[in-house]
Amino acid sequence: MALTPAFLDELRARTTLSALIGRSVKITRAGREWKACCPFHNEKTPSFTINDDKGFYHCFGCGAHGDAIRWLTDQQGLPFMDAVKELAAAAGMDVPQADPRAAEKAEKAKGLHEAMADAAKFYVDQLHGLAGAEARALLERRRITTDTARAFGMGFAPDSRTKLRETLKSYGDPMLVEAGMLIQVENKEPYDRFRGRLMIPIKDARGRVIAFGGRIIGEGEPKYLNSPETPLFDKGRTLYNLDRAQAASRKTGRVIAVEGYMDVIALAQAGFGEAVAPLGTALTEHQLERLWRMADIPLLAFDGDAAGQKAAIRAAHRALPHLGPGRSLAFVTLPNGQDPDDLVRSAGPHAFEALLQAAQPLADRIWHHELAAEPLETPEGRASLKRRLSDLAATIQDGNVRHEYVTEFRNRCDAHFAPAPRSFTPRAPNRMPGRPGQRWQPPEPPPSPTVQALGATGIDRVLAKAVLAGLIRHPAEIARHMETLSSLRLADGALGRLFEAVVDVALEDQALDTDRLRTILASSGFDRQAAELLRADTLPFTFTQKGWDVGRAALDLGEAIAVLVARPQVDAALAEATAAVQARFSDEAFERQVALVRRKAELEARLANLMLADED
C-alpha cells in the first residue's frame, strides 16, 4: 500500500502530539512546548521536549527524534501501517485501500502542486508587467507595499479566457481543471477561472500553493472569488497565512483570526504577522483546532459590522463543546463598520494593539449577546435567558469547564436581576429611614457556632433524600459540590450511611455513571435504598428524574444543595432569635427575628421554584 505524502501530512496535522505522548508519559507545559523525562533512556531531569506546532518530539539527552508515527513505532513497537491505522482512526480519517494506481495518484498530486506553483509564478509575472498596471494601482490605493505584495506572492490574472491555459498547456487541460484553474463546461473548451483579478495564493502549512483567492480590480461581482475544493484544497480545514503565522505566533504567543485575506495582509504589513483567516466560511471545528495548536486563547477580530459580529457569536457557539481547562477564545471588538484593514490604515497599529489588549473573554461575549437577545422585563423573558445560557453551557464536553460555566452564568443572572440597594438619608441618628421610632440595624451577622451546630443536625430529610437521589442520578456533580457536602451531617440511620457510601465511592472513581455507582452500592447492601430514592413519582425535581437536560438538572441540583445547607441554619437562628425576643424584648432582637422570617420565606420560595409542576 502506498501512502501519499499529502495523506501523511494531513494525518500528522490532525494529531496533537502532546496528547498522544501524554497517554503514557507524564508531561508538563513549558511555554509553547511540553517537557518530560525521556522514555527512551533513564533520566531524572527532563530533557525530552514536544512541539505541537512543528509536530515532533526531541530528546536533548539521547537524541531521540520523531513525529506521531515514529512515536508509535519506536516507543510502542507498532509496525508502520498499524501506527498509521491507529492514528487515522483517532483522527477520523480513512486509510487509503491497497490500490495498484496509488503511485500514479501520488505522482498526480505532485503534478498538481507543481502546476499551482507555476500558476502562482505566472500571476506574479503578470502583476509586474504591462498588463498589471491597474492591479498595482489598486495595491497602492490599499497602501500595500511592493515588499508586502512580494512576500505574499500576490499577482494578477489578466482579463483573458485562455492566457493561463496557454501558458500551462504542458500540464494538460484535465489536470488544470482538477486543480481548479480552468472551468470545464460541457461541449465547450475549458477556460481560465480567474480573469481580471488581483491574485492571492493560498498555501498549506508547508508553504505550498494549493489554491487562489482573486479580488476583482474594478466593479463587478463577485468581489472575491476563491478556488473550488480540489484534491489539494479543503477550505474547511485551511487557514489563510497559516504557513507564515505559525512562526510569528511562536514569538508573540498569540494568534489572531480575521475574516479575509486582505485583513491578514494589512495586519502583517503593520507588524501583526500572527494573523490568519478562514476562506469564505464560518470558522469550522477543524480550523479552531488549528488555532488552538498555536495558542491556548486565539483572538477573533472579525469585522465591526452586523455580519462580523454574527460570525463571531457563531464561532463562540461552535467552540463551546471543545473548550478545556485554559483553552478558550477571546473576541476583539472593532469600531462599527470597520475591519482590521480599515483600522490599521486609519488609526495605526497602536490602535489595533489596544483592542487586542482589551479582548473580551468567551464567557463575556456569550453573556452580553444573550442578555441583548430578548426583552427581560417579564419573568418569562428572564426564564428564557437562564434556559438559553444553561443550554449553551450544557454543550461543553469537559465536565470541569461545563460546571464553571453553569456556575458563572447562574451567578451573573443572580447579580443582574438582584434588586438595587435602596438609598436613604436617615432623619435622625440611629433611626430607620421611613420608619420613625425604629433604630437602624446593621446587616445580619453570620451564624454563631451554636447556630451552625444546631443547623447541622436539622437537615430536612425529604430534601436530603431528593439531593441524594440527584447525586446518584448525576454522580459527576458530587465532586463539584464536595466542599459543601462535606459540611453536612445527614440524619442518622440508613440515609446517613447511604450518603457517606455515595461520597466515598465518588471520591475513589470520579468517572462514575449512575449504573456503575448503583452496582457498587448494591455490593455494600444499599441497592434497595438507592432504588427507592430513584422512584420518579416520589421526588418532584428535575435532578431526580430521567430524561431531563443535564445542564438544567445540574443547575437545579446545585440550588437544592444550597437550600439544604442554608435552611437548617436559618431555622436554628430563627429559633434562637425568637427565644431572645420572648426572654427580653428589644428592637434589635425583634428586627433580627423579622429578618430571619423573611430569609426563611425566601428559601422556601427558592425550593418551591425547583419543584416540577403537577401535570395532571
Side-chain angles (χ1 to χ4, degrees), residues 224-401:
Y224 289 97
L225 178 66
N226 285 338
S227 291
E229 295 202 357
T230 70
L232 302 182
F233 178 50
D234 182 340
K235 64 182 179 181
R237 296 180 180 275
T238 305
L239 288 168
Y240 176 68
N241 196 43
L242 180 64
D243 58 313
R244 294 166 54 89
Q246 288 178 134
S249 177
R250 284 192 289 271
K251 294 180 181 178
T252 63
R254 68 188 183 191
V255 61
I256 307 165
V258 296
E259 285 195 59
Y261 31 64
M262 293 303 290
D263 292 322
V264 170
I265 293 168
L267 287 177
Q269 184 171 279
F272 302 95
E274 65 272 29
V276 298
L279 294 154
T281 63
L283 271 175
T284 67
E285 287 83 355
H286 299 292
Q287 290 168 333
L288 285 168
E289 287 293 340
R290 293 265 186 173
L291 292 174
W292 277 319
R293 290 181 189 176
M294 299 166 70
D296 290 335
I297 306 179
L299 302 169
L300 271 56
F302 290 170
D303 296 355
D305 56 12
Q309 297 313 297
K310 186 176 181 180
I313 199 64
R314 281 203 305 268
H317 290 174
R318 184 161 285 176
L320 281 173
H322 310 286
L323 301 183
R327 171 166 141 159
S328 187
L329 294 177
F331 296 82
V332 179
T333 303
L334 275 73
N336 187 33
Q338 289 196 334
D339 57 29
D341 184 8
D342 297 327
L343 185 63
V344 295
R345 282 192 287 129
S346 61
H350 63 281
F352 188 69
E353 179 64 40
L355 294 181
L356 295 179
Q357 296 301 322
Q360 185 181 44
L362 174 60
D364 287 357
R365 174 54 61 101
I366 292 174
W367 165 255
H368 289 294
H369 178 266
E370 296 301 330
L371 201 62
E374 294 180 5
L376 302 174
E377 288 77 15
T378 65
E380 296 83 359
R382 294 189 288 274
S384 177
L385 170 66
K386 294 177 181 179
R387 171 54 63 87
R388 293 197 305 275
L389 292 171
S390 174
D391 289 345
L392 287 170
T395 65
I396 301 173
Q397 295 176 8
D398 184 276
N400 290 327
V401 177

Side-chain angles (χ1 to χ4, degrees), residues 402-420:
R402 181 174 63 250
H403 170 66
E404 292 299 327
Y405 266 76
V406 167
T407 303
E408 177 73 13
F409 288 152
R410 182 174 60 218
N411 291 342
R412 290 191 185 207
C413 286
D414 290 345
H416 186 77
F417 297 119

Side-chain angles (χ1 to χ4, degrees), residues 139-154:
L139 292 176
E140 187 174 348
R141 290 196 301 273
R142 299 294 295 261
R143 301 182 191 175
I144 302 297
T145 67
T146 301
D147 288 343
T148 298
R150 184 177 294 109
F152 281 90
M154 300 175 78

Side-chain angles (χ1 to χ4, degrees), residues 371-608:
L371 201 62
E374 294 180 5
L376 302 174
E377 288 77 15
T378 65
E380 296 83 359
R382 294 189 288 274
S384 177
L385 170 66
K386 294 177 181 179
R387 171 54 63 87
R388 293 197 305 275
L389 292 171
S390 174
D391 289 345
L392 287 170
T395 65
I396 301 173
Q397 295 176 8
D398 184 276
N400 290 327
V401 177
R402 181 174 63 250
H403 170 66
E404 292 299 327
Y405 266 76
V406 167
T407 303
E408 177 73 13
F409 288 152
R410 182 174 60 218
N411 291 342
R412 290 191 185 207
C413 286
D414 290 345
H416 186 77
F417 297 119
R422 294 183 297 176
S423 60
F424 63 90
T425 304
R427 296 183 179 181
N430 295 326
R431 298 294 179 185
M432 287 290 289
R435 300 174 65 178
Q438 295 190 31
R439 285 176 290 180
W440 174 82
Q441 296 294 317
E444 179 185 337
S448 67
T450 302
V451 169
Q452 290 181 0
L454 289 171
T457 61
I459 294 297
D460 181 333
R461 288 182 61 86
V462 174
L463 182 55
K465 286 182 178 181
V467 167
L468 189 49
L471 296 176
I472 296 173
R473 186 77 73 188
H474 304 280
E477 299 302 310
I478 298 174
R480 294 174 192 146
H481 297 287
M482 185 56 63
E483 184 176 348
T484 303
L485 293 170
S486 63
S487 68
L488 294 176
R489 296 177 185 172
L490 289 179
D492 293 335
L495 185 62
R497 292 194 298 273
L498 177 57
F499 169 78
E500 292 177 1
V502 167
V503 172
D504 289 344
V505 171
L507 283 175
E508 293 178 6
D509 184 358
Q510 295 189 12
L512 281 175
D513 58 19
T514 301
D515 292 339
R516 176 161 170 73
L517 176 57
R518 289 195 60 186
T519 299
I520 297 173
L521 291 175
S523 67
S524 301
F526 291 107
D527 187 50
R528 183 181 60 80
Q529 293 95 323
E532 180 67 21
L533 284 176
L534 294 179
R535 282 180 52 196
D537 59 339
T538 60
L539 300 166
F541 299 96
T542 58
F543 50 83
T544 64
Q545 312 287 313
K546 279 187 177 181
W548 274 89
D549 172 74
V550 175
R552 165 73 185 279
L555 280 172
D556 288 357
L557 179 56
E559 178 79 346
I561 291 173
V563 173
L564 180 65
V565 173
R567 195 163 68 171
Q569 291 188 359
V570 171
D571 288 343
L574 179 57
E576 187 181 75
T578 301
V581 169
Q582 292 172 347
R584 185 176 180 179
F585 181 86
S586 67
D587 290 342
E588 291 88 351
F590 178 72
E591 287 293 337
R592 175 162 172 74
Q593 183 188 40
V594 170
L596 287 166
V597 169
R598 290 174 180 163
R599 174 67 172 149
K600 181 175 181 178
E602 176 195 337
L603 291 175
E604 296 292 345
R606 287 169 64 182
L607 184 60

